[in-house]
Amino acid sequence: MAVLTKRYSCLILQGVIFLYVIGSLVYVAHRHFNNPQGWNPSFGHRRPQIRIPYNPSYADQPSSYTIGPYHNPEQMVIQLPAPGNTTQRVKAGFVSLVRNNELIGMLSSMRDMEERFNKKYNYPWLFLNDEPFTDEFIARTSEITNAKTYYALVDSSMWSYPPHINQTLAAEGRKLLESLPYGDSESYRHMCRFQSGFFWRHPMLLELGWEYYWRVEPWVRFYCELDYDPFLYMKENNKQYAFTISFIEHGGTIPTLWSAVKEFVRLSHSKGNRYFSRPASDSLYRFITSPTAEEYNMCHFWTNFEIARVDLWHTQAYQDYFNFLDQLGGFFYERWGDAPVHSIFVALFLHKEQIHFFNDIGYRHAEYERCPDQENLLKRCYCNPAKSIDFADPMSCLNQYMDAQHSLPEEDQLTVSDIMLQT
Ligand code: GDP
Ligand code: MN
């Protein structure tokens, strides 16, 4: 009896093992034939197969999207142009002021730009440097793009102390600001002055005859597929200036900039140069200040990304403005940045419709990034809108921008200079 029981349990055990082996084989075969990518060793919880084909048109470019800060009832609908029009060209290109030792960062930025956009359009690249570019820099940056690349030196006429600057005072100014970002840096000040007053009249840029430029820095990221030409978009929609990130400046670097700007408006007005005579409600002045313009609120467009018309900076208004600021010496005695200098001018001088926010371009510079949160745009981006500073981070000025684009308060029927001159 005992022998019989033992024999039966042995048979049952063999049967169980047999069924287990057959069951496992069926399971593995089922998984294998349902998974065209082949063997997937992850047993257990079955994850859905998400495969994003590397193909820029995997989600078609939408024809429009809706945007607005959530508290603002006036959401804007932005129409996008038809994708892929590469026949109509704009005289334009990328411009990068960059150092030889930033080669890898430059290649990284270029790779993103080429992949997301420029391999379809082949706009040229212009590299500027206050020192000659190395052979390696030239070889590697020209290899990574099919477009033409140009290299030019920034000489001492655009990168040195002008004679009216007291260099002892400048050194004292750097000491005073040494606790602030780049507060003690001399080269950073030359860079900001060059970006404010000179790149747009660099002989190589003038020779290329570009109507628009797109400024690109090393180590930035572009996250979204771009199937249309932003230069053409700007030209056809009469846009003069465009940005992706707006930000609050550290006030310590520009203590006297706002009073200098007001002084410039007063002086131009007294000379009969009505540079800022458009109705304030038609300008973006509320992006940078209160209704009575007493203080600068430190909002500015980040210029590490900047698409603009070259001739915006060639206007008499801007040249007078830059020369006035340069004469005061704040680029050296303080640490005036090209971002507030550009942004203040643009906000006071342009029609607000001439300024554009490229919401469909996901972008990162240093530790800050932005990403569109519209579902139809996001399908074409490799970024996380939860990390976007746009409407969430207190350092972002996008709410102020949206409000300024929408607001038409009564008192703004005054002209921009009326407002700037009233206090
Ligand atoms: P940040 O963006 O304000 O932190 O300043 P960056 O260090 O990124 O400088 C802004 C841009 O100017 C970058 O494209 C830099 O490569 C460039 N840049 C800054 N200083 C110099 C310099 O001394 N020489 C050159 N050739 N480029 C510079
Ligand atoms: Mn930078």
Side-chain angles (χ1 to χ4, degrees), residues 17 31 46 63 65 85 116 170 183 246 257 296-297 310 324 394:
I17 291 172
R31 283 188 66 123
R46 199 162 173 191
S63 57
Y65 66 87
N85 182 354
R116 299 286 92 74
S246 57
L257 178 61
Y296 177 37
N297 65 10
V310 176
F324 181 82

Side-chain angles (χ1 to χ4, degrees), residues 176-231:
L176 274 176
L177 296 191
E178 70 185 349
S179 62
L180 301 181
Y182 306 106
D184 59 354
S185 168
E186 208 172 5
S187 67
Y188 194 84
R189 285 173 170 77
H190 286 295
M191 182 274 287
C192 289
R193 180 170 176 264
F194 174 77
Q195 298 286 26
S196 302
F198 296 98
F199 84 89
W200 42 268
R201 48 179 153 165
H202 188 283
M204 182 66 106
L205 193 88
L206 296 182
E207 196 182 312
L208 290 169
W210 291 351
E211 214 177 332
Y212 287 86
Y213 67 91
W214 184 338
R215 179 171 153 188
V216 180
E217 279 196 3
W219 291 125
V220 298
R221 301 251 15 218
F222 299 96
Y223 290 129
C224 302
E225 303 296 347
L226 198 57
D227 288 348
Y228 69 93
D229 179 347
F231 295 122

Side-chain angles (χ1 to χ4, degrees), residues 1-284:
M1 187 68 191
V3 172
L4 211 65
T5 315
K6 205 172 170 186
R7 200 169 166 165
Y8 271 123
S9 55
C10 210
L11 269 174
I12 290 168
L13 190 66
Q14 281 176 350
V16 168
I17 291 172
F18 179 75
L19 286 174
Y20 179 79
V21 170
I22 294 291
S24 302
L25 284 173
V26 169
Y27 175 74
V28 168
H30 177 79
R31 283 188 66 123
H32 184 75
F33 289 116
N34 279 292
N35 179 358
Q37 287 181 326
W39 172 249
N40 180 343
S42 68
F43 280 96
H45 180 69
R46 199 162 173 191
R47 275 175 272 133
Q49 294 280 323
I50 301 172
R51 283 180 302 125
I52 300 175
Y54 190 65
N55 170 5
S57 60
Y58 75 88
D60 288 342
Q61 175 187 295
S63 57
S64 70
Y65 66 87
T66 307
I67 187 170
Y70 305 116
H71 67 265
N72 194 320
E74 281 187 73
Q75 304 273 305
M76 285 195 278
V77 177
I78 309 289
Q79 302 293 335
L80 293 175
N85 182 354
T86 51
T87 49
Q88 222 174 328
R89 304 292 303 213
V90 180
K91 277 194 88 63
F94 306 102
V95 59
S96 295
L97 174 77
V98 56
R99 290 165 282 213
N100 285 309
N101 64 11
E102 293 172 305
L103 168 61
I104 303 302
M106 198 65 242
L107 292 173
S108 171
S109 299
M110 289 179 78
R111 176 74 187 181
D112 260 15
M113 182 64 95
E114 292 292 326
E115 278 302 307
R116 299 286 92 74
F117 165 68
N118 202 43
K119 68 181 179 194
K120 290 161 270 187
Y121 291 87
N122 280 313
Y123 278 104
W125 290 84
L126 168 60
F127 299 97
L128 302 172
N129 190 352
D130 61 312
E131 289 178 0
F133 281 113
T134 59
D135 292 343
E136 189 195 7
F137 188 98
I138 294 173
R140 295 197 64 189
T141 48
S142 55
E143 265 163 22
I144 204 171
T145 172
N146 288 326
K148 284 204 172 105
T149 51
Y150 301 91
Y151 304 84
L153 185 70
V154 175
D155 68 21
S156 62
S157 69
M158 299 184 166
W159 194 287
S160 62
Y161 287 103
H164 66 271
I165 293 295
N166 177 335
Q167 293 193 36
T168 316
L169 267 186
E172 284 169 19
R174 290 200 297 279
K175 190 96 193 111
L176 274 176
L177 296 191
E178 70 185 349
S179 62
L180 301 181
Y182 306 106
D184 59 354
S185 168
E186 208 172 5
S187 67
Y188 194 84
R189 285 173 170 77
H190 286 295
M191 182 274 287
C192 289
R193 180 170 176 264
F194 174 77
Q195 298 286 26
S196 302
F198 296 98
F199 84 89
W200 42 268
R201 48 179 153 165
H202 188 283
M204 182 66 106
L205 193 88
L206 296 182
E207 196 182 312
L208 290 169
W210 291 351
E211 214 177 332
Y212 287 86
Y213 67 91
W214 184 338
R215 179 171 153 188
V216 180
E217 279 196 3
W219 291 125
V220 298
R221 301 251 15 218
F222 299 96
Y223 290 129
C224 302
E225 303 296 347
L226 198 57
D227 288 348
Y228 69 93
D229 179 347
F231 295 122
L232 190 61
Y233 176 84
M234 290 193 61
K235 195 174 159 87
E236 290 190 333
N237 293 278
N238 192 25
K239 305 288 184 192
Q240 300 248 342
Y241 188 92
F243 70 99
T244 54
I245 287 187
S246 57
F247 212 72
I248 304 245
E249 175 76 19
H250 193 303
T253 59
I254 49 168
T256 66
L257 178 61
W258 189 243
S259 60
V261 171
K262 282 190 164 181
E263 187 53 36
F264 172 69
V265 177
R266 202 169 296 127
L267 194 77
S268 321
H269 200 80
S270 70
K271 286 186 183 165
N273 294 326
R274 305 289 154 96
Y275 295 138
F276 307 103
S277 57
R278 76 174 75 262
S281 58
D282 184 25
S283 83
L284 211 66

Side-chain angles (χ1 to χ4, degrees), residues 356-371:
H356 183 66
F357 166 46
F358 271 111
N359 173 56
D360 45 345
I361 298 185
Y363 180 68
R364 182 184 182 97
H365 173 274
E367 70 267 41
Y368 291 98
E369 69 180 54
R370 67 155 310 270
C371 190

Side-chain angles (χ1 to χ4, degrees), residues 306-369:
E306 185 173 73
I307 307 181
R309 286 192 67 89
V310 176
D311 63 10
L312 172 61
W313 314 120
H314 283 265
T315 53
Q316 198 60 48
Y318 186 77
Q319 298 214 23
D320 285 359
Y321 167 84
F322 171 76
N323 289 338
F324 181 82
L325 297 182
D326 195 35
Q327 206 58 38
L328 292 175
F331 289 104
F332 295 107
Y333 303 137
E334 296 179 4
R335 206 222 66 197
W336 293 354
D338 54 297
V341 167
H342 279 188
S343 305
I344 291 173
F345 180 79
V346 155
L348 299 180
F349 183 69
L350 291 179
H351 288 280
K352 57 186 178 186
E353 294 78 22
Q354 292 173 321
I355 302 167
H356 183 66
F357 166 46
F358 271 111
N359 173 56
D360 45 345
I361 298 185
Y363 180 68
R364 182 184 182 97
H365 173 274
E367 70 267 41
Y368 291 98
E369 69 180 54

